[in-house]
Amino acid sequence: MAEHESHQSNDSPLLETVSLFQGLAPAERQEVYQAAHHRAVEKGELFFVQGEEAHTLYVLTQGRVRLNQLSPEGEQVLLRVIVPGQLFGGVAVLSGTAYPAAAEAVVPSEALGWDGETMARLMERYPAIARNALRLLAERIQELQERYRELATERVERRVASAVLRLARQTGRKVEGGILIDFPLSREDLAAMTGTTLYTVSRILKRWEKEGLVEAGRQRLLIRSPHGLVALAEDLPPALEAPS
Amino acid sequence: MAEHESHQSNDSPLLETVSLFQGLAPAERQEVYQAAHHRAVEKGELFFVQGEEAHTLYVLTQGRVRLNQLSPEGEQVLLRVIVPGQLFGGVAVLSGTAYPAAAEAVVPSEALGWDGETMARLMERYPAIARNALRLLAERIQELQERYRELATERVERRVASAVLRLARQTGRKVEGGILIDFPLSREDLAAMTGTTLYTVSRILKRWEKEGLVEAGRQRLLIRSPHGLVALAEDLPPALEAPS
DNA sequence: CGCTATTTTGAGATGGCTCAAGCTATGTGG
DNA sequence: CCACATAGCTTGAGCCATCTCAAAATAGCG
């Protein structure tokens, strides 16, 4: 029957953990799931491009997606990295405008999509979805405001430290020796997240490596000492090795 | 009876223009209005402080309010300026967290306030309010993202130009000779909006004044040539005087 | 095994910050 | 109504964090 070739179920076990659908009964989630269409994109491909009229709101189910915003002059900013369970494209759909950024899969990725009208209908029927959406957007605003302040008032090294920690929290995988950022992340990506250049990021990572804070490879970042980075991000006195 | 000493009505003519309540019938707006309480604060006073648990969502009816975010290190960022009709404090109430910024009246100001539960109840009853709120938040996110990119990729002068233009659009008053920013705005305020220092802003304004773009006084800014500023903000070739 | 993307490193330039000092409106109390 | 206090603004000089540009090293990938 109408069955997607999904990974491990024809049910909506995945949606259980999606905060947009929190508070729905299983049967309701099932209905929401039925209304979705499934989309898979290759590494490097886009779910949507910046400027395209927004039609679909996605929830990522597999992979990692970057939201890039391009300035009129062609400079890129990496607004955020989406991990499974998170919403993307929603802002544009809800405000009825064009996508303000492009969504690029950094690894092979899959998502569920609902077009604007469908989602409006679902929200109508299940106000909990609208409430959740409000809460999610409000949280996004708070985070954005904080990052805005960070960018406005803090030096590069600290911004990079914050960005790395944020990534670690979002998409870090515990491995022996530390926390590994779980997708290919280049110096240039980090630069685009923090408003600096890839050269400066490279130098900073080298320095951190010397200090034993991280282990940085080609598109790879292992955080050996989250504490050390937190200290940097918050400008604590650089943690003495052996307090007397 | 229970009548506020409001400026010119016991009705809700004001709410008509508030986008949060767009789409409500007059009677419904009336009910919304009944549920509000009225609050006036003096110049320099705060509607709420940063970190305070969020209880009330406001719509400004009179005056101008600044939303300031303070960094842990004590540096200030001016996130936005609220003009009558706009919502503030809503993000914190909707996400159920503490206010992420302080709201300071830059001139004597008045607002209508609803506490979180009341607003939740109203949204329940009138889904249009929830829809409007979603749209408003989505628009805020878009604006913030854009400003984030601006801060990340553009030089100070251009950022200041953009900030001034934004203010002019929001709260500019046409007067003879140009557009006047309609509330006291210091060099330091502009610096806090654009992530720079008051010294740099001062120099930039002086330069613009020499070029005839603006007229800058003590906490006063008159834009003589919006076009010139737009050119700066967008890095067009600096508008030739007389194209041959 | 060679090609290409990524990263490192150096050297030099500079935009904007910092600090210090003086200036000037504005409002206030005598 | 004046003189003074104050908050806001200007200006200079020096510095430095970060950017730029150039070039070489490295690592994957096909």
Side-chain angles (χ1 to χ4, degrees):
Chain A
M1 359 218 107
E3 167 114 27
H4 300 113
E5 75 297 3
S6 40
H7 348 303
Q8 41 182 4
S9 82
N10 59 351
D11 197 5
S12 58
L14 198 144
L15 292 192
E16 281 174 35
T17 65
V18 173
S19 45
L20 183 60
F21 304 122
Q22 216 93 90
L24 293 190
E28 296 171 342
R29 264 201 289 269
Q30 181 60 29
E31 183 186 337
V32 167
Y33 182 69
Q34 299 294 353
H37 63 267
H38 188 263
R39 182 166 172 205
V41 316
E42 293 307 303
K43 170 173 176 169
E45 299 291 306
L46 305 177
F47 276 95
F48 48 78
V49 301
Q50 181 173 341
E52 180 183 343
E53 201 207 339
H55 36 76
T56 309
L57 171 160
Y58 293 97
V59 166
L60 193 68
T61 55
Q62 278 290 310
R64 297 283 185 276
V65 168
R66 294 168 19 158
L67 290 185
N68 289 323
Q69 190 170 72
L70 202 68
S71 80
E73 286 83 34
E75 299 211 72
Q76 277 222 346
V77 163
L78 204 173
L79 291 171
R80 56 194 194 117
V81 173
I82 308 294
V83 300
Q86 289 186 331
L87 190 67
F88 64 103
V91 165
V93 171
L94 293 171
S95 61
T97 57
Y99 290 116
E104 176 191 346
V106 262
V107 296
S109 299
E110 302 177 15
L112 294 172
W114 292 264
D115 64 61
E117 288 134 48
T118 304
M119 187 46 77
R121 199 167 36 81
L122 288 169
M123 283 184 177
E124 190 107 356
R125 179 136 33 153
Y126 305 118
I129 300 180
R131 274 198 301 279
N132 289 334
L134 271 176
R135 190 171 34 76
L136 285 177
L137 293 195
E139 284 164 9
R140 281 279 303 287
I141 289 177
Q142 293 210 7
E143 196 206 312
L144 264 171
Q145 284 180 345
E146 212 150 297
R147 287 176 57 188
Y148 186 83
R149 182 190 41 70
E150 199 176 292
L151 199 50
T153 64
E154 271 150 36
R155 326 228 106 163
V156 171
E157 180 172 26
R158 203 177 310 178
R159 302 203 306 262
V160 176
S162 297
V164 168
L165 287 170
R166 211 177 315 121
L167 286 173
R169 244 176 276 124
Q170 265 207 327
T171 176
R173 190 156 52 90
K174 269 213 177 79
V175 295
E176 63 157 336
I179 301 172
L180 181 69
I181 303 295
D182 204 12
F183 68 96
L185 178 77
S186 69
R187 309 288 178 271
E188 188 155 21
D189 294 337
L190 269 175
M193 297 185 74
T194 53
T196 179
T197 63
L198 80 128
Y199 310 104
T200 299
V201 170
S202 175
R203 287 182 235 267
I204 288 174
L205 289 185
K206 258 281 123 79
R207 182 149 23 102
W208 288 355
E209 202 153 26
K210 271 187 201 131
E211 294 166 6
L213 293 172
V214 302
E215 226 172 275
R218 200 186 182 70
Q219 306 210 93
R220 184 177 168 285
L221 190 58
L222 174 71
I223 301 165
R224 302 199 69 89
S225 164
H227 274 70
L229 282 189
V230 170
L232 270 180
E234 300 181 353
D235 197 24
L236 308 176
L240 304 180
E241 274 308 305
S244 50
Chain B
M1 343 217 107
E3 167 113 28
H4 302 111
E5 77 294 4
S6 39
H7 349 302
Q8 41 184 6
S9 83
N10 59 353
D11 197 5
S12 56
L14 198 142
L15 292 193
E16 281 175 35
T17 66
V18 173
S19 43
L20 182 61
F21 304 121
Q22 216 92 92
L24 293 189
E28 297 171 341
R29 266 201 288 268
Q30 181 61 28
E31 183 187 338
V32 167
Y33 182 70
Q34 299 294 354
H37 61 269
H38 188 261
R39 183 166 171 206
V41 316
E42 292 306 303
K43 171 174 173 167
E45 301 289 307
L46 305 177
F47 276 95
F48 48 78
V49 301
Q50 181 173 342
E52 180 183 345
E53 200 206 339
H55 36 75
T56 308
L57 171 158
Y58 294 96
V59 167
L60 193 67
T61 55
Q62 277 291 310
R64 296 283 185 276
V65 168
R66 290 166 25 155
L67 290 184
N68 288 322
Q69 189 171 70
L70 202 68
S71 81
E73 286 82 35
E75 298 211 73
Q76 278 220 350
V77 163
L78 205 174
L79 290 171
R80 55 195 195 116
V81 173
I82 308 293
V83 300
Q86 289 186 331
L87 190 67
F88 64 104
V91 165
V93 171
L94 293 173
S95 62
T97 58
Y99 290 116
E104 177 190 347
V106 263
V107 297
S109 299
E110 301 177 14
L112 294 172
W114 293 264
D115 64 61
E117 288 134 47
T118 304
M119 189 44 79
R121 198 166 37 81
L122 288 170
M123 283 184 179
E124 190 106 358
R125 179 136 31 150
Y126 305 118
I129 300 180
R131 274 198 300 279
N132 288 335
L134 272 177
R135 190 171 33 78
L136 285 177
L137 293 195
E139 283 164 8
R140 280 281 302 289
I141 289 177
Q142 293 209 7
E143 194 205 314
L144 265 170
Q145 285 180 344
E146 210 149 299
R147 285 177 58 187
Y148 186 84
R149 180 189 44 69
E150 196 175 295
L151 200 49
T153 63
E154 271 152 34
R155 328 228 106 165
V156 170
E157 181 172 27
R158 192 157 343 160
R159 302 204 305 261
V160 176
S162 298
V164 168
L165 287 171
R166 210 178 315 121
L167 287 172
R169 244 175 276 126
Q170 265 208 325
T171 176
R173 190 156 52 90
K174 269 212 178 79
V175 297
E176 63 157 335
I179 301 172
L180 182 68
I181 302 293
D182 204 11
F183 68 98
L185 177 77
S186 70
R187 309 287 180 272
E188 188 155 20
D189 295 336
L190 269 175
M193 297 185 75
T194 53
T196 180
T197 63
L198 81 124
Y199 309 104
T200 299
V201 170
S202 175
R203 288 183 234 266
I204 288 172
L205 289 185
K206 256 285 122 80
R207 186 153 15 108
W208 289 355
E209 202 153 26
K210 270 186 203 133
E211 295 166 5
L213 294 171
V214 303
E215 225 172 277
R218 202 186 180 70
Q219 306 209 96
R220 185 177 167 286
L221 189 59
L222 174 70
I223 301 165
R224 303 197 68 87
S225 164
H227 274 70
L229 283 189
V230 170
L232 270 179
E234 300 180 355
D235 196 24
L236 309 176
L240 304 181
E241 275 308 306
S244 51

